[in-house]
Amino acid sequence: MTRYGPMYGPDVTFLGVPPCTVEEPVTYADADVVIIGAPFDGGTSHRPGTRFGPSAIRQACYLPHDGSRPSLALRVDALKDLCVYDAGDVEMFGGDIERSLAALETAVHAVAAAGAIPVVLGGDHSIALPDATGVARHHGLGRVSLVHFDAHADTGDVEFGSLHGHGQPMRRLIESGAVRGDRFLQIGLRGYWPGPSTLAWMAEQRMRSYEMTEIVARGLDTCLTEAFGIATDECEGVFLSVDVDVVDPGMAPGTGTPEPGGFTSRQLLDAVRRVCYELPVVGLDVVEVAPPYDHADITAYLGNRVVLEALSAIARRRHDAETGTPWNPTQPLLDDR
């Protein structure tokens, strides 16, 4: 079996799950989830380095890379209970953003069309455009809502003379019709960008953007519950996009555009768990992990755990649908062991 493997780093799979090849659907015909690396930082506006993110996220764990991770909280082993493969990295040349994004969209669409959930490891946030588009092409343009955790809205128009970059994918998704503006939920925004004209455009699209001041005043759980109601209205599936800079840089320093005043890592993990347990997630990406600015692999570990939390919640959602027994988050750890 031919396998491209990673562009940056050793050819390892996510925590030891089996490999597959995107161009050979037979290698993942039974997959529930396929992990894809997108080692691209050609869309960054500030500090590059996220091209090394997929390799770092795959390897950031102190436990054996044995294809097994039983969740203490959710009482499932996502890497065993789901059929998870790793397709390695898509070839994404940093000097040609249009070619690179097109190659990624092709890979994501192939995985979605095979009936699996694509989980994309970035890479800068410009990859959200091909990621969500590839999923929407399979499930229906405008039929997939988007839940977006980020410090930044990423709704810029033309930046540095280009329509593509990590500050613009959400505008391109809405303009293309892949995702409806009124089914676009942003959580964790803060800071000093974008400006008034971009905010006015977002309002015209009927986006729902939760800035940190509102989240603090109303409570994160309240905001999530409200967002979930919007996300599931007239949409068959949900795409989850997680930019690690939604977390405060004190807990996630390894990123290109850090913005103080964000989530704790605990808040992000709990929120991702809720999204993937309560909503019909059909694709997700984890972006903007930039190892050159990380300290002691803090951010890479967080990225790894975001993926694991998402997969564990998806596995638990399927388990509960099959058994009719809902997960009880108040159950003591050792009950019924």
Side-chain angles (χ1 to χ4, degrees):
M1 180 181 71
T2 302
R3 176 180 161 82
Y4 180 75
M7 290 182 69
Y8 306 101
D11 188 2
V12 296
T13 64
F14 182 80
L15 300 179
V17 301
C20 71
T21 302
V22 167
E23 295 81 7
E24 301 176 24
V26 67
T27 65
Y28 55 95
D30 58 341
D32 296 307
V33 173
V34 174
I35 294 169
I36 301 170
F40 183 77
D41 56 18
T44 53
S45 60
H46 188 43
R47 304 188 302 190
T50 56
R51 66 183 63 188
F52 304 111
S55 179
I57 294 170
R58 285 184 173 106
Q59 298 180 73
C61 191
Y62 54 84
L63 295 169
H65 288 223
D66 56 1
S68 174
R69 283 299 180 276
S71 167
L72 292 179
L74 289 163
R75 298 176 177 238
V76 293
D77 186 339
L79 303 187
K80 295 284 190 184
D81 297 343
L82 300 174
C83 187
V84 182
Y85 291 95
D86 190 327
D89 290 348
V90 173
E91 183 176 6
M92 302 186 74
F93 171 53
D96 191 340
I97 191 167
E98 292 188 357
R99 186 185 83 181
S100 294
L101 298 186
L104 180 57
E105 182 180 329
T106 297
V108 171
H109 178 257
V111 169
I117 297 173
V119 175
V120 185
L121 311 180
D124 72 48
H125 218 159
S126 61
I127 71 166
L129 173 60
D131 293 344
T133 301
V135 169
R137 281 173 53 197
H138 173 66
H139 292 278
L141 300 179
R143 306 303 298 175
V144 175
S145 61
L146 202 144
V147 176
H148 170 209
F149 289 92
D150 204 328
H152 311 98
D154 293 352
T155 49
D157 190 3
V158 177
E159 304 286 344
F160 306 107
S162 175
L163 291 170
H164 299 294
H166 74 165
Q168 300 142 275
M170 308 315 174
R171 183 184 285 247
R172 301 287 92 87
L173 280 168
I174 293 171
E175 289 177 338
S176 71
V179 180
R180 289 168 49 174
D182 61 355
R183 296 297 180 271
F184 213 115
L185 296 311
Q186 301 185 305
I187 302 165
L189 305 188
R190 60 189 187 275
Y192 303 90
W193 184 89
S197 62
T198 300
L199 293 174
W201 180 87
M202 293 164 62
E204 290 172 2
Q205 312 311 309
R206 299 171 60 198
M207 299 176 71
R208 184 61 171 98
S209 302
Y210 294 86
E211 196 267 340
M212 283 300 297
T213 304
E214 178 185 359
I215 292 171
V216 171
R218 298 181 61 199
L220 178 57
D221 277 338
T222 298
C223 293
L224 288 176
T225 299
E226 180 179 274
F228 291 0
I230 300 170
T232 52
D233 183 21
E234 300 181 350
C235 285
E236 280 71 46
V238 175
F239 188 91
L240 170 63
S241 188
V242 179
D243 185 330
V244 293
D245 72 21
V246 74
V247 172
D248 189 89
M251 294 185 181
T255 195
T257 50
E259 183 63 56
F263 282 13
T264 65
S265 54
R266 178 72 263 164
Q267 285 176 309
L268 177 60
L269 294 174
D270 285 346
V272 167
R273 179 190 294 172
R274 278 199 62 188
V275 171
C276 294
Y277 180 70
E278 297 180 30
L279 300 179
V281 171
V282 293
L284 66 102
D285 59 27
V286 180
V287 302
E288 298 290 353
V289 173
Y293 316 109
D294 213 356
H295 174 73
D297 298 330
I298 293 171
T299 317
Y301 269 85
L302 177 59
N304 179 282
R305 277 359 190 210
V306 167
V307 175
L308 276 178
E309 204 65 45
L311 296 183
S312 297
I314 290 168
R316 183 71 206 208
R317 177 182 172 90
R318 294 188 180 188
H319 170 274
D320 291 1
E322 293 171 359
T323 65
T325 305
W327 173 59
N328 177 11
T330 67
Q331 185 177 19
L333 175 65
L334 302 181
D335 272 12
D336 299 328
R337 294 286 182 177

